Amino acid sequence: MKRSAGKSTCPMNMFLEVFGDPWTLLVLRDMLLVGKRRTTQFLDSAEAISTSVLADRLKRLEAAGMVRRVGTGDRNQVHYVPTGKAVDTLPVLFEMALWSMDHEPAAAPLQRVITRIREDPIDYIAEIRAEVECESIDLRP
């Protein structure tokens, strides 16, 4: 992503420039852990993201090299595919989910995801990476 002149190069600031709002992380969660690819699928999430916010976050993720937009001009045919850069966020997302499980009594995760994170996170990431790589090949224009 292009950086504006004068922005801090502190690693935490740079991270927050990409992930500094909850919607971005929730879109990545849905994309990487639930397998959502179409706009209508993202809009169907329990958090009820608005169409305009979703469009903005997908554009930001695409500009950051985290998502690739694939498909025809027809809105119903467009897919958003995570890139390897997005997959690289999984260890951070896993730790955030585990922290929430330990410190937020109301946390209600997808049990299959938490089980996989706790059992073998490295293998789980490898599986997700392989799925994303296959999907990227299958969806090339």
Side-chain angles (χ1 to χ4, degrees):
M1 178 184 295
K2 270 191 171 178
R3 301 190 45 75
S4 302
K7 291 282 188 173
S8 167
T9 57
C10 164
M12 186 62 71
N13 178 67
M14 295 175 84
F15 177 87
L16 289 172
E17 285 183 20
V18 177
F19 304 106
D21 71 278
W23 293 116
T24 301
L25 293 172
L26 293 172
V27 169
L28 281 174
R29 173 207 62 194
D30 284 351
M31 195 173 280
L32 294 167
L33 300 176
V34 182
K36 294 183 180 185
R37 298 292 184 262
R38 295 175 185 250
T39 301
T40 55
Q41 293 173 319
F42 292 110
L43 292 172
D44 209 21
S45 295
E47 293 83 11
I49 190 171
S50 72
T51 304
S52 60
V53 171
L54 175 61
D56 178 70
R57 293 325 181 269
L58 288 168
K59 284 180 188 173
R60 288 182 188 196
L61 287 167
E62 187 176 12
M66 308 276 291
V67 171
R68 193 167 56 87
R69 188 173 188 263
V70 180
T72 66
D74 180 10
R75 275 186 123 167
N76 294 328
Q77 297 301 319
V78 173
H79 288 75
Y80 293 90
V81 180
T83 65
K85 189 174 178 181
V87 175
D88 289 344
T89 68
L90 283 169
V92 175
L93 296 178
F94 288 176
E95 288 302 317
M96 292 170 66
L98 292 172
W99 179 91
S100 184
M101 292 295 298
D102 290 342
H103 298 287
E104 297 295 330
L110 290 172
Q111 199 55 51
R112 67 173 174 77
V113 171
I114 289 297
T115 299
R116 291 299 310 276
I117 291 170
R118 286 189 169 142
E119 285 178 355
D120 192 348
I122 293 170
D123 186 53
Y124 192 26
I125 291 169
E127 284 179 28
I128 293 169
R129 186 176 306 280
E131 289 172 13
V132 166
E133 288 172 359
C134 285
E135 187 175 5
S136 291
I137 292 167
D138 292 344
L139 291 175
R140 289 191 192 231

